């Protein structure tokens, strides 16, 4: 649903789950998740994922740039 709406299509999706089976991870990434973290959550990995998907460098901050473009 997020990807089908122009206002949220670029919102990064980071999945947090206890299910780390390869098939589960692959299905969620194929469905549009940008990243996948497993429980128990490691704070350093969570913060790294947030930085990776919100930074403003090449390849980063994709959602922020797209949201600005949609607003124009």
């Amino acid at each position: 649903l997020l990807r089908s709406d122009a206002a949220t299509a670029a919102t990064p999706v980071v999945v947090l789950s206890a299910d780390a089976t390869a098939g589960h991870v692959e299905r969620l990434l194929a469905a549009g998740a940008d990243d996948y973290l497993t429980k128990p959550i490691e704070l350093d990995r969570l913060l790294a994922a947030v930085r990776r998907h919100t930074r403003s460098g090449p390849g980063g901050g994709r959602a922020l740039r797209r949201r600005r473009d949609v607003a124009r």
Side-chain angles (χ1 to χ4, degrees), residues 6-41:
T8 58
T11 300
V13 175
V14 178
V15 174
L16 174 61
S17 176
D19 186 349
T21 58
H24 185 72
V25 174
E26 289 170 9
R27 278 191 304 276
L28 288 167
L29 293 173
D34 294 296
D35 215 331
Y36 189 94
L37 301 173
T38 57
K39 293 179 183 177
I41 189 66

Side-chain angles (χ1 to χ4, degrees):
L1 291 172
L2 287 175
R3 301 292 186 223
S4 64
D5 184 336
T8 58
T11 300
V13 175
V14 178
V15 174
L16 174 61
S17 176
D19 186 349
T21 58
H24 185 72
V25 174
E26 289 170 9
R27 278 191 304 276
L28 288 167
L29 293 173
D34 294 296
D35 215 331
Y36 189 94
L37 301 173
T38 57
K39 293 179 183 177
I41 189 66
E42 295 175 27
L43 184 56
D44 290 342
R45 292 185 71 198
L46 174 61
L47 294 175
V50 169
R51 280 191 295 272
R52 188 169 43 254
H53 297 291
T54 58
R55 70 174 185 248
S56 60
R62 173 176 57 100
L64 299 177
R65 282 195 304 278
R66 284 192 191 158
R67 261 190 234 136
R68 281 189 219 118
D69 292 342
V70 168
R72 291 181 188 167

